[in-house]
């Protein structure tokens, strides 16, 4: 490994909800307007914020997660994502020092130390002035190994408010205040999991423009100077992936639309580099299942699109017949709901594919939220028995009825899964789990596709022939 010079910063906050995501989105758009190529990253297991960051930067946002990834693998992901960029912008999650234990393991601070990246702290200034100097001083003292390089004030009421807070922080801590953002009066596209996915929001460009305007009081040139002062970083030289060709001739249908959007870029990339052709399917609009060898249904919000999904009965009928015929199907979280019999949300019930004899209900409070550990305890086409999978879950849905036929092959060690004890529902070659796994941290994930296709025809074997090419392109991986 040789040290590499790369401008980089970590955007952090004192807590979740302090405004760092919206600040990061506005900052990325400002940097793009300056003609810079920005590599976006999101700390932790996150799809929605990462999707917005991808859309803002116009290139894939990659997740950096010290819980899911070993250090060397994480640095490879960082190197891959930052390739060709002028600056890397990493958005943290929750509070800067929040981790999974007393020591703050897997925190944004831990990631900043690993990347040797300066930290910009976004402070919510609502109903507070001089006290924020004590907050910043506490951040300085709590972990001297973290380079707290600057502060941005958020939700500032007026000029006098900004002046008092700025003077107090700089006087008592010496940390420079790099600007202020006023209270925003633009509609935030939010619901129960935070921001809604960018695919569902019709006012993306107006939102970006409003955020850029809100950052007019931020000294971006000083922030760039901070990023440029990051020391050279040792990064692994070997590639993140190697082309195996093991899935050559395989067409994997990937459901991606307003209902299903939760995919890590690396999970799609590794399938393509293994030789698979990815065929993207819109579950709301496409009437027939295309010619595919297997299906991949990611997470998302099928509940908000349930009526449109239910109305597209011909596609659901094709999927059910394909599953009964033995087509390999891998589904995560929201994808399982689509495979179930019924989906209930806000007092209404919608028919789904009926592949699995399970009724699901989306409730008002989360059932599973956070990192998960599940052990493989029964034979299945995807994972070997005895394997412990590291992943994460975030779902408001629960099964209300499970009929005869499927079995469960995962035991929950940490998390909730289906009921706090079980996860990994299996029916023929259909596998559904609430646990999202990342291909970088789980090599068995790619091997699972090979295992599931063993004994099945690898070539396209189900559905109508495609009238036009809809395989993997750079645009698909971009956002």
């Amino acid at each position: 490994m040789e040290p590499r010079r790369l401008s980089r910063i970590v955007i952090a906050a004192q807590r979740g909800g302090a405004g760092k995501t919206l600040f990061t989105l506005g900052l990325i758009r400002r940097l793009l307007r300056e003609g810079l190529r920005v590599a976006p990253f999101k700390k932790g297991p996150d799809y929605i914020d990462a999707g917005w960051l991808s859309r803002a930067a116009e290139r894939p946002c990659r997740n950096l997660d010290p819980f899911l990834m070993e250090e060397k693998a994480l640095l490879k992901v960082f190197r891959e994502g930052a390739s060709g960029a002028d600056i890397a912008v990493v958005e943290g999650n929750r509070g800067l020092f929040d981790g999974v234990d007393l020591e703050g393991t897997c925190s944004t601070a831990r990631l900043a130390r690993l990347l040797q990246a300066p930290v910009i702290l976004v402070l919510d200034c609502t109903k507070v002035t001089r006290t924020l100097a004590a907050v910043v001083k506490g951040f300085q003292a709590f972990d001297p190994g973290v380079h707290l390089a600057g502060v941005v004030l958020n939700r500032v009421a007026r000029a006098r408010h900004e002046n008092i807070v700025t003077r107090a922080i700089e006087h008592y801590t010496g940390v420079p205040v790099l600007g202020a953002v006023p209270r925003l009066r633009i509609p935030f596209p939010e619901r129960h999991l935070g921001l809604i996915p960018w695919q569902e929001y019709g006012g993306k460009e107006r939102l970006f423009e409003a955020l850029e305007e809100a950052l007019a009081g931020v000294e971006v040139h000083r922030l760039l100077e901070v990023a440029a002062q990051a020391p050279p970083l040792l990064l692994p030289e070997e590639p993140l992936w190697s082309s195996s060709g093991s899935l050559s001739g395989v067409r994997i249908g990937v459901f991606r639309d307003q209902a299903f959007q939760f995919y890590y870029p690396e999970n799609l990339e590794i399938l393509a580099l293994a030789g698979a052709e990815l065929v993207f399917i819109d579950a709301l609009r496409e009437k027939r299942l295309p010619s595919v060898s297997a299906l991949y249904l990611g997470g998302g919000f099928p509940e908000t699109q349930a009526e449109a999904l239910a109305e597209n009965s011909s596609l659901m009928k094709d999927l059910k017949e394909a599953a009964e015929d033995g087509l390999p199907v891998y589904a995560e979280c929201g994808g399982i709901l689509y495979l179930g019999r019924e989906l209930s949300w806000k007092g209404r019930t919608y028919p789904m594919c009926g592949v699995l004899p399970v009724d699901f209900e989306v409730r008002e409070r989360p059932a599973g939220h956070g990192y998960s550990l599940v052990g493989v305890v029964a034979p299945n086409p995807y994972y070997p028995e005895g394997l412990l999978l590291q992943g994460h879950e975030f779902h408001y849905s629960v099964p209300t009825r499970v009929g005869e036929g499927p079995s469960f092959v995962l035991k929950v060690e940490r998390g909730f899964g289906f009921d706090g004890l079980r996860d990994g529902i299996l029916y023929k070659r259909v596998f559904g789990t609430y646990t999202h796994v990342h291909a970088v941290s789980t090599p068995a994930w790619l091997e699972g596709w090979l295992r599931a296709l063993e004994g099945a025809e690898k070539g396209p074997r189900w559905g109508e022939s495609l009238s036009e090419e809809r395989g993997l392109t750079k645009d698909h991986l971009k956002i």
Side-chain angles (χ1 to χ4, degrees):
M1 297 193 297
E2 293 185 2
R4 296 189 184 184
R5 177 72 69 176
L6 174 65
S7 292
R8 57 194 184 276
I9 53 170
V10 171
I11 309 299
Q14 80 266 42
R15 59 173 175 80
K20 60 182 176 297
T21 297
L22 293 174
F23 171 78
T24 306
L25 292 174
L27 173 63
I28 288 174
R29 298 299 283 200
R30 282 278 302 273
L31 295 176
L32 258 61
R33 194 175 292 277
E34 296 290 328
L36 298 174
R37 294 165 298 180
V38 183
F41 297 90
K42 174 66 181 180
K43 185 267 172 185
D46 184 285
Y47 293 106
I48 299 176
D49 289 358
W52 276 98
L53 294 169
S54 294
R55 189 70 177 89
E58 300 176 0
R59 62 186 285 164
C61 173
R62 297 180 186 269
N63 295 73
L64 302 173
D65 194 315
F67 180 84
L68 297 179
M69 304 172 187
E70 295 181 352
E71 288 188 3
K72 188 173 183 179
L74 187 151
L75 290 173
K76 285 183 182 181
V77 173
F78 181 72
R79 184 205 62 212
E80 190 81 10
S83 177
D86 299 306
I87 182 173
V89 177
V90 182
E91 185 199 342
N93 74 332
R94 298 189 176 275
L96 175 60
F97 300 110
D98 295 334
V100 297
D101 52 26
L102 180 63
E103 290 75 27
T105 305
C106 307
S107 65
T108 298
R110 173 72 186 91
L111 177 62
R113 291 198 306 271
L114 178 61
L115 297 177
Q116 299 179 50
V119 172
I120 304 299
L121 191 65
V122 176
L123 286 176
D124 183 355
C125 299
T126 303
K127 298 181 180 180
V128 65
T129 55
R130 185 170 175 265
T131 299
L132 286 174
V135 172
V136 174
K137 201 166 188 66
F139 272 76
Q140 281 182 304
F142 193 78
D143 187 347
V146 175
H147 178 203
L148 183 55
V151 169
V152 171
L153 309 181
N154 191 32
R155 297 169 185 156
V156 172
R158 55 185 66 87
R160 181 173 178 273
H161 186 197
E162 176 186 345
N163 182 54
I164 293 172
V165 176
T166 299
R167 289 177 58 198
I169 289 174
E170 294 187 338
H171 175 74
Y172 288 105
T173 73
V175 177
V177 175
L178 302 180
V181 181
R183 297 182 189 277
L184 300 180
R185 292 180 173 81
I186 55 177
F188 296 156
E190 294 183 309
R191 63 163 173 252
H192 52 284
L193 294 189
L195 293 173
I196 69 169
W198 68 266
Q199 294 93 336
E200 294 186 47
Y201 187 63
K204 291 178 284 291
E205 294 307 318
R206 291 193 300 274
L207 177 64
F208 289 146
E209 290 170 3
L211 292 174
E212 283 187 66
E213 292 174 5
L215 265 63
V218 176
E219 299 180 66
V220 174
H221 68 283
R222 291 180 65 192
L223 193 148
L224 287 171
E225 290 173 358
V226 167
Q229 292 169 6
L233 182 63
L234 284 172
L235 293 173
E237 295 293 335
E238 58 266 31
L240 180 60
W241 308 118
S242 60
S243 299
S244 67
S246 54
L247 291 177
S248 179
V250 172
R251 304 187 81 187
I252 298 178
V254 180
F255 278 60
R256 192 160 72 173
D257 45 51
Q258 288 185 321
F260 308 104
Q261 320 97 4
F262 296 169
Y263 300 96
Y264 289 122
E266 293 84 358
N267 287 31
L268 300 181
E269 289 169 357
I270 193 172
L271 293 174
L273 285 171
E277 177 187 354
L278 303 190
V279 180
F280 293 92
I281 301 169
D282 187 329
L284 285 73
R285 296 171 179 84
E286 297 187 34
K287 301 302 181 184
R288 303 304 302 271
L289 188 67
S291 178
V292 293
S293 317
L295 290 174
Y296 181 15
L297 286 81
F301 290 99
E303 66 270 27
T304 69
Q305 311 298 320
E307 185 173 359
L309 290 171
E311 288 175 353
N312 193 6
S313 58
S314 59
L315 180 64
M316 293 196 297
K317 180 176 180 291
D318 277 359
L319 200 163
K320 180 175 173 59
E321 291 179 3
E324 291 290 346
D325 195 38
L327 191 76
V329 180
Y330 190 102
E332 296 173 333
C333 200
I336 316 173
L337 274 58
Y338 184 60
L339 296 178
R341 191 176 62 177
E342 292 182 348
L343 173 59
S344 299
W345 187 49
K346 293 188 174 181
R348 296 188 63 183
T349 299
Y350 306 89
M352 293 287 109
C353 293
V355 174
L356 302 172
V358 184
D359 298 338
F360 291 97
E361 180 184 7
V362 178
R363 296 179 175 173
E364 295 299 318
R365 298 180 64 84
H369 184 193
Y371 292 117
S372 56
L373 294 172
V374 292
V376 183
V377 294
N380 68 92
Y382 292 89
Y383 295 112
E385 289 183 75
L387 181 68
L388 184 66
L389 294 172
Q390 288 181 288
H392 66 94
E393 60 178 337
F394 193 2
H395 57 98
Y396 283 60
S397 66
V398 293
T400 56
R401 177 184 176 275
V402 179
E404 297 294 327
S407 59
F408 289 89
V409 300
L410 301 180
K411 178 184 178 183
V412 174
E413 303 289 344
R414 172 183 176 142
F416 187 80
F418 272 67
D419 55 11
L421 299 173
R422 304 174 298 171
D423 197 3
I425 191 169
L426 179 68
Y427 175 70
K428 295 192 174 182
R429 291 183 181 270
V430 177
F431 177 82
T433 174
Y434 275 113
T435 299
H436 298 279
V437 297
H438 196 293
V440 170
S441 63
T442 310
W445 186 80
L446 176 61
E447 297 165 7
W449 285 97
L450 300 175
R451 287 164 57 93
L453 285 160
E454 288 178 0
E457 296 179 35
K458 278 196 173 184
R461 54 184 295 267
W462 180 267
E464 299 293 326
S465 297
L466 295 179
S467 59
E468 59 179 342
E469 181 58 47
R470 289 180 295 149
L472 180 70
T473 68
K474 290 183 179 179
D475 287 340
H476 281 120
L477 289 180
K478 182 187 298 182
I479 52 177

